[in-house]
Amino acid sequence: MADLRTNFLGVKSPNPFWLASAPPTDRKVNVERAFRAGWGGVVWKTLGEAGPPIVNVSGARYGAIHGPDRRLIALNNIELITDRDLEINLQEIKEVKRAWRDRALIVSLMVPCDEDSWKAILARVEETDCDGVELNFGCPHGMSERGMGSAVGQVPEYVEMVARWCKAHTRMPVIVKLTPNITDIKNPARAAKNGGADAVSLINTINSIMAIDLDSMTPDVAIDGKGTHGGMCGPAVKPIALAMVAEIARDRECAGLPISAIGGITTWRDAAEFIALGAGTAQVCTAAMTYGFKIVEEMISGLSSFMDAKGYARIDDFRGRAVPSITDWQNLNLNFVVKAEIDQDLCIKCGRCHIVCEDTSHQAIFAHVNGKRRFVVNDAECVGCNLCALVCPVEGCITLVHKTAGVDPRTGLDYARPAANWTTHPNNPSVQKAAE
Amino acid sequence: MTIAAHPPGLSDVAPGRLDEASVSVNFADLHPPLARHEAKVEAERCYFCFDAPCQKACPTSIDIPLFIRQIAADNRYGAARTIFDANIMGGMCARVCPTETLCEEACVREAAEGKPVTIGLLQRYATDPAIAAGKSPYARGAPTGRRAAIVGAGPAGLACAHALAIAGIESTIFEAHPKAGGLNEYGIAAYKAIDGFAAKEAAFILSIGGIEVRYGAALGRDVKFDDLRRDYDAVFLGTGLGATNKLGLAREGELENVVDAVDYIARLRQAEDLTKLPVGRRVVVIGGGMTAIDIAVQSKKLGAQNVTIVYRRGADKMKASRFERELAQTSGVVIRTWARPVSLEGHGDALSGVVFEDTHERDGVLASPGSVFRIEADMLFTAIGQRGALDALDGAPIDVKDGRIVVDAERRTSLEGVWAGGDCVLGGEDLTVSAVEDGKQAARSIAAALGVARI
Ligand SMILES: Cc1cc2nc3c(=O)[nH]c(=O)nc-3n(C[C@H](O)[C@H](O)[C@H](O)COP(=O)(O)OP(=O)(O)OC[C@H]3O[C@@H](n4cnc5c(N)ncnc54)[C@H](O)[C@@H]3O)c2cc1C
Ligand SMILES: Cc1cc2nc3c(=O)[nH]c(=O)nc-3n(C[C@H](O)[C@H](O)[C@H](O)COP(=O)(O)O)c2cc1C
Ligand code: SF4
Ligand code: SF4
Ligand code: SF4
């Protein structure tokens, strides 16, 4: 049985599955239910400064897009940070931490962008005995209009400045939570590191309007006839989160910066993928908000079966293993040739591979052979793009086969050629220049 | 073929075997309609195939992937239009097509996992609201001054008339019965088209305008074929099959309660109150097609205790599909294969039993080893096929073979200016959907022949 225990910045948890700062971690009763269900840790719903509590809308605050059978594939929200009184939150955090010593309890924070505000809140939070803080520089709606959340996260100088203040005013580990609503995620990540942050967590939600209601001519979720963009999360954002985590994981300047991954994690596999990209823990929100806390049982069991099957005793045994495989386009081997191959026994003759290749790719799949409906790849045209395999409804029916012997009828070149990439390619203008 | 009630014990034929509540449960919708969510989930199962095999298998070539995608995208009306463009009787076809041998058999998901997309149910989902609204979604074409005579307001005749109306060709339908719809109204099993659907659909089709129906006007009796040819620019014959085959056994015509299945079903379909319809306690059905299944199942639903279908060959040779046979069996009907009737037994004037001989096939020839058995029966339904009844043509020089009219690919008969389609023509499949296709193709050919813009 694999050991799922994690140690992230010295904060220990029985498994890497944490609930992200969001409604599931808004209060003691939720968090205790989550711990009972098996979650390894939580990041408490973001606290703001002392004073009159935050006011949320009383209209619908969530929107969604659905796949077939109303499977929720993305969620969107316009909720603000906690709307509960600071003192009640602090009291509950203290009680929970006292009762659940073996679980990670991080407190998320967002206060105005001045040193005194951060100093004041950190002192109060420290009294709770929690394990660390996460700086919410990510919320893309509402709070950003007030100069907080993503308004900070989008300016690397601010990120660095606030991280530095926090490190100066607390002994607790400091995690900076990044917004994806930015052109290059490496900049705020580097800024966090330069400011002394112990780790980054990402991604927060992505600016989004889920749909337009064509009857009312308003955003699909509107409040008294008006809507605003919210933040999107859930399964649909996972690829974006993976790309951003990978960018940081392979960035030299960020080397060694611990990452807590967030974004569309719904099953053990999603979490394992982020861990393979170097993440130390996996934070979850939408999946819990879609199915409840019980899903963690599947995550724990799935991750441990996977690790057992692969012979990984501890999380660290495979953490970051996929990072070296991620590179720039220019480093890809241009002499590596694959061709699509259709397993005729599995093929159900729907013809989708043919029509997508015909209409939108390389006209490389025949629809008929000797007048009979039969789908066969034409190696003379196939560029191995993978589109057909992706649209084929039968899993495993179309595979991309690495060609190693013979001549590629499309290019007339040998399949077996030494690896070579764009940096040395004769068509590359900079290579031409160097030759001159 | 009289039906006579008798006291129990002798020849037990009686109405009201079940109370009204049970009868109405029994005759409820065979396949209840899909609700919106079910329809959307089912629609998402469709792969939107290229050159879709299902579409090729549909006799009217409905663009099935397109209409299913329209359902998935919440465009139910667009889906209905896609269906009606190819098949104006898409509503009835959704209910009565043997989809298991047509589109759904060809669906790639049938090959893949034995669970085809339920095209018929989706087709019904798409078309129901449009038909309920009662108005054809098509505009009648500007009148061209051309006129066609159509004989028979069955699926073939109605489809032809609707397509002609779109082309601006007015038509007059001569219909012997007091209602339109043909076998939709008088023949299809009651539980396949409940709540007067056949009449609603006929009204929906006729609502396009430019179609006059003369009810109770039979060709040959009330109107002469030559007059139609003289008075109209084109004539379309969609008279269906008028006559039914007989067993050819002694006393077949005189014994009470030896009944033609098609006639009985017509009575059943028109009955105001099904509990008033007499049915036997022990029923035997002879035949192996859709009609045999329908009469057997409906007898059972009326309250018959034992219903046995006897067919002279193996189950694989029955024209009724596997789905239909299973429907009969799950309704409690016993199907006996490899036997044929040799004599009818009577108790007084009424049927009391049927004697069968076992059969087998030797070199493609049906023979009997000589063994016989007897089934006690209060009622016998014959469902051994229908024939054309072409006397109404008054001996006009039209090529006819095996009692059916010979037509070419455009549904032209050998006689200039005369088209035909549906059950009355040779080589058809004797299905509602093929009759609709015939009517549609004939209308195209008529429009072209009359120099009217293509439809
Ligand atoms: C019991 C039974 C069950 C069936 N079940 C199914 C089923 O489940 N699915 C399926 O696809 N098919 C089924 N069929 C077959 C289907 O009903 C026919 O193929 C279809 O109705 C043929 O259409 P049609 O227009 O050619 O003829 P019909 O529907 O027979 O219509 C012919 C019309 O012409 C009229 N007519 C005839 N002679 C004259 C005349 N001389 N003058 C004026 N009018 C005349 C008739 O009154 C009738 O209205 C069934 C048939 C029967 C008998
Ligand atoms: C395979 C692929 C290649 C693309 N290449 C280009 C490109 O060369 N230039 C460009 O401006 N957009 C490119 N796009 C983006 C599309 O134009 C489009 O903006 C994008 O796919 C979003 O639209 P859609 O998801 O609604 O299809 C590409 C998209 C795909 C899927
Ligand atoms: S989820 Fe709960 S709080 Fe939200 S709308 Fe439904 S019932 Fe109300
Ligand atoms: S998409 Fe797949 S199943 Fe469909 S025809 Fe192509 S190979 Fe066959
Ligand atoms: S064959 Fe089946 S899956 Fe393919 S288009 Fe037709 S209904 Fe859809």
Side-chain angles (χ1 to χ4, degrees):
Chain A
M1 181 72 177
D3 180 356
L4 299 189
R5 283 177 302 171
T6 53
N7 182 339
F8 188 73
L9 319 176
V11 180
K12 297 193 172 116
S13 58
N15 63 55
F17 305 110
W18 291 7
L19 284 167
S21 175
T25 64
D26 181 50
R27 58 193 64 208
K28 182 180 170 188
V29 328
N30 290 4
V31 171
E32 294 209 301
R33 284 170 61 81
F35 283 161
R36 276 197 289 277
W39 291 87
V42 303
V43 181
W44 201 277
K45 169 83 181 171
T46 307
L47 308 184
E49 59 183 342
I54 287 287
V55 178
N56 266 305
V57 296
S58 293
R61 67 181 74 169
Y62 303 127
I65 46 182
H66 292 101
D69 211 356
R70 274 183 79 76
R71 177 176 288 263
L72 194 142
I73 53 183
L75 187 69
N76 150 293
N77 82 87
I78 55 164
E79 177 174 283
L80 303 181
I81 61 176
T82 187
D83 53 12
R84 303 168 77 227
D85 185 73
L86 177 65
E87 296 305 323
I88 294 175
N89 273 311
L90 293 171
Q91 178 60 32
E92 288 188 2
I93 291 167
K94 193 170 187 158
E95 290 166 13
V96 171
K97 187 63 220 182
R98 194 174 299 148
W100 298 85
R101 288 271 156 219
D102 67 327
R103 309 300 168 99
L105 201 174
I106 308 291
V107 174
S108 170
L109 299 174
M110 181 197 288
V111 295
C113 210
D114 61 77
E115 190 166 1
D116 288 344
S117 300
W118 284 97
K119 187 176 171 186
I121 189 83
L122 285 165
R124 298 300 319 279
V125 171
E126 228 163 70
E127 293 165 12
T128 65
D129 261 350
C130 73
D131 298 307
V133 292
E134 185 181 79
L135 315 186
N136 177 350
F137 295 159
C139 266
H141 50 267
M143 302 311 289
S144 55
E145 295 168 16
R146 305 174 202 177
M148 293 179 260
S150 64
V152 177
Q154 285 166 341
V155 184
E157 293 75 12
Y158 292 171
V159 172
E160 181 173 339
M161 178 177 72
V162 179
R164 183 162 290 127
W165 291 338
C166 291
K167 281 311 287 180
H169 295 296
T170 181
R171 53 171 174 76
M172 294 183 290
V174 172
I175 304 169
V176 169
K177 184 166 180 178
L178 302 178
T179 175
N181 298 306
I182 188 163
T183 32
D184 186 346
I185 197 70
K186 291 194 292 294
N187 293 329
R190 289 169 182 165
K193 192 178 184 215
N194 293 339
D198 299 286
V200 289
S201 58
L202 68 162
I203 59 175
N204 208 311
T205 56
I206 302 175
N207 277 354
S208 60
I209 288 178
M210 299 309 256
I212 298 298
D213 182 325
L214 293 175
D215 295 320
S216 61
M217 286 294 171
T218 63
D220 190 13
V221 175
I223 292 172
D224 194 18
K226 292 229 181 331
T228 184
H229 78 80
M232 186 169 108
C233 48
V237 310
K238 185 187 119 188
I240 297 167
L242 279 175
M244 290 185 164
V245 166
E247 280 302 283
I248 295 170
R250 70 189 186 92
D251 181 41
R252 272 204 202 92
E253 291 183 41
C254 291
L257 182 64
I259 300 171
S260 180
I262 320 168
I265 297 172
T266 309
T267 66
W268 72 268
R269 181 181 291 276
D270 302 324
E273 291 174 18
F274 280 105
I275 293 169
L277 285 179
T281 60
Q283 297 190 33
V284 175
C285 171
T286 304
M289 290 185 67
T290 310
Y291 302 107
F293 291 146
K294 186 173 193 251
I295 52 163
V296 76
E297 291 177 31
E298 178 282 317
M299 294 178 174
I300 291 169
S301 131
L303 184 61
S304 100
S305 307
F306 159 74
M307 288 171 60
D308 288 347
K310 294 284 183 188
Y312 299 131
R314 284 164 299 276
I315 301 264
D316 275 347
D317 289 354
F318 77 100
R319 200 166 63 81
R321 283 245 186 156
V323 177
S325 72
I326 293 170
T327 182
D328 292 340
W329 193 96
Q330 61 174 349
N331 300 322
L332 302 178
N333 179 5
L334 299 174
N335 288 344
F336 182 87
V337 179
V338 296
K339 301 275 178 193
E341 207 170 278
I342 297 175
D343 182 335
Q344 295 298 335
D345 291 335
L346 290 179
C347 174
I348 60 170
K349 300 191 172 68
C350 69
R352 274 168 69 170
C353 55
H354 162 78
I355 198 61
V356 296
C357 192
E358 194 72 10
D359 285 353
T360 73
S361 289
H362 293 81
Q363 298 79 45
I365 299 182
F366 298 116
H368 297 97
V369 176
N370 299 330
K372 281 227 172 73
R373 185 176 175 90
R374 188 175 164 90
F375 297 90
V376 177
V377 175
N378 177 5
D379 281 357
E381 298 295 341
C382 175
V383 299
C385 74
N386 203 25
L387 181 63
C388 55
L390 296 176
V391 304
C392 175
V394 183
E395 212 177 323
C397 175
I398 304 184
T399 41
L400 290 180
V401 179
H402 178 201
K403 295 291 192 179
T404 50
V407 173
D408 183 347
R410 186 176 74 87
T411 58
L413 299 172
D414 276 350
Y415 282 130
R417 280 180 299 145
N421 62 40
W422 181 242
T423 59
T424 57
H425 198 281
N427 291 14
N428 181 342
S430 52
V431 172
Q432 285 171 1
K433 223 177 241 143
E436 279 160 14
Chain B
M1 84 128 244
T2 44
I3 300 174
H6 285 277
L10 274 172
S11 170
D12 187 351
V13 174
R17 291 191 178 277
L18 297 175
D19 60 25
E20 214 177 299
S22 316
V23 166
S24 80
V25 168
N26 284 354
F27 283 87
D29 224 334
L30 179 61
H31 301 290
L34 295 178
R36 179 167 175 274
H37 181 73
E38 287 175 294
K40 290 191 75 168
V41 171
E42 188 58 23
E44 294 281 3
R45 292 186 65 231
C46 171
Y47 292 143
F48 200 71
C49 294
F50 157 74
D51 198 13
C54 54
Q55 178 172 3
K56 287 193 178 146
C58 169
T60 54
S61 308
I62 293 174
D63 191 338
I64 294 166
L66 180 60
F67 96 68
I68 294 181
R69 192 170 170 79
Q70 288 167 315
I71 291 175
D74 244 339
N75 179 7
R76 201 170 175 183
Y77 178 74
R81 278 296 295 249
T82 300
I83 293 162
F84 294 141
D85 280 350
N87 180 339
I88 193 62
M89 218 167 244
M92 184 59 84
C93 290
R95 290 162 166 76
V96 306
C97 273
T99 51
E100 64 280 4
T101 61
L102 297 170
C103 53
E104 290 178 21
E105 181 180 56
C107 174
V108 299
R109 296 202 77 156
E110 166 64 25
E113 61 206 289
K115 285 202 196 79
V117 175
T118 56
I119 300 167
L121 281 172
L122 287 170
Q123 182 170 319
R124 174 164 174 192
Y125 175 81
T127 51
D128 269 359
I131 295 167
K135 181 81 191 78
S136 166
Y138 298 86
R140 180 183 167 190
T144 57
R146 301 302 199 130
R147 291 163 65 242
I150 294 174
V151 187
L158 288 174
C160 183
H162 189 270
L164 289 176
I166 293 176
I169 300 171
E170 281 176 45
S171 61
T172 305
I173 305 184
F174 298 89
E175 169 54 59
H177 274 111
K179 288 185 183 175
L183 288 170
N184 289 358
E185 177 62 45
Y186 294 96
I188 296 291
Y191 45 79
K192 289 186 184 171
I194 63 162
D195 295 337
F197 181 78
K200 286 179 197 156
E201 186 179 58
F204 159 85
I205 292 171
L206 293 171
S207 72
I208 189 170
I211 307 169
E212 183 202 350
V213 190
R214 295 211 191 133
Y215 293 106
L219 182 69
R221 185 187 70 199
D222 309 302
V223 46
K224 293 284 168 233
F225 186 57
D226 285 341
D227 295 344
L228 294 185
R229 291 194 63 208
R230 185 194 62 224
D231 297 342
Y232 292 85
D233 299 308
V235 177
F236 176 79
L237 298 170
T239 49
L241 296 170
T244 44
N245 295 328
K246 299 278 170 267
L247 295 172
L249 299 178
R251 301 188 72 194
E252 184 177 351
E254 69 205 53
L255 269 183
E256 287 168 1
N257 306 329
V258 176
V259 186
D260 181 292
V262 175
D263 289 344
Y264 186 86
I265 291 171
R267 259 182 81 174
L268 185 153
R269 285 296 309 274
Q270 300 304 312
E272 296 262 318
D273 180 354
L274 288 177
T275 64
K276 301 229 159 69
L277 201 63
V279 70
R281 184 166 66 85
R282 298 159 306 174
V283 171
V284 169
V285 177
I286 312 232
M290 201 115 70
T291 307
I293 299 285
D294 286 359
I295 190 65
V297 172
Q298 289 176 109
S299 304
K300 198 76 197 158
K301 286 179 185 291
L302 285 172
Q305 222 169 58
N306 302 332
V307 179
T308 311
I309 293 178
V310 184
Y311 178 60
R312 60 193 171 143
R313 294 176 197 271
D316 54 320
K317 285 273 162 50
M318 290 175 79
K319 270 179 92 181
S321 68
R322 194 164 63 101
F323 168 80
E324 300 274 346
R325 300 198 304 267
E326 284 172 4
L327 173 69
Q329 285 160 332
T330 52
S331 305
V333 172
V334 172
I335 300 181
R336 271 191 89 145
T337 52
W338 296 111
R340 63 184 170 199
V342 286
S343 65
L344 306 176
E345 294 185 347
H347 185 93
D349 294 335
L351 178 81
S352 62
V354 186
V355 179
F356 292 89
E357 64 179 7
D358 293 310
T359 54
H360 56 209
E361 204 174 293
R362 292 284 176 270
D363 305 323
V365 180
L366 206 60
S368 173
S371 49
V372 297
F373 61 92
R374 179 175 186 278
I375 300 181
E376 306 258 327
D378 305 303
M379 206 164 195
L380 172 71
F381 288 115
T382 55
I384 52 170
Q386 291 175 269
R387 286 180 284 114
L390 302 171
D391 328 339
L393 298 180
D394 289 336
I398 289 188
D399 280 358
V400 170
K401 192 164 174 250
D402 299 337
R404 310 244 192 162
I405 301 171
V406 179
V407 291
D408 65 10
E410 288 184 28
R411 279 61 166 182
R412 288 179 296 211
T413 69
S414 59
L415 196 58
E416 167 113 34
V418 181
W419 284 257
D423 287 358
C424 68
V425 304
L426 185 72
E429 294 183 74
D430 291 356
L431 294 174
T432 308
V433 65
S434 352
V436 172
E437 177 66 5
D438 287 352
K440 179 178 99 186
Q441 293 298 346
R444 284 188 185 159
S445 177
I446 291 170
L450 299 185
V452 174
R454 263 193 71 83
I455 43 171

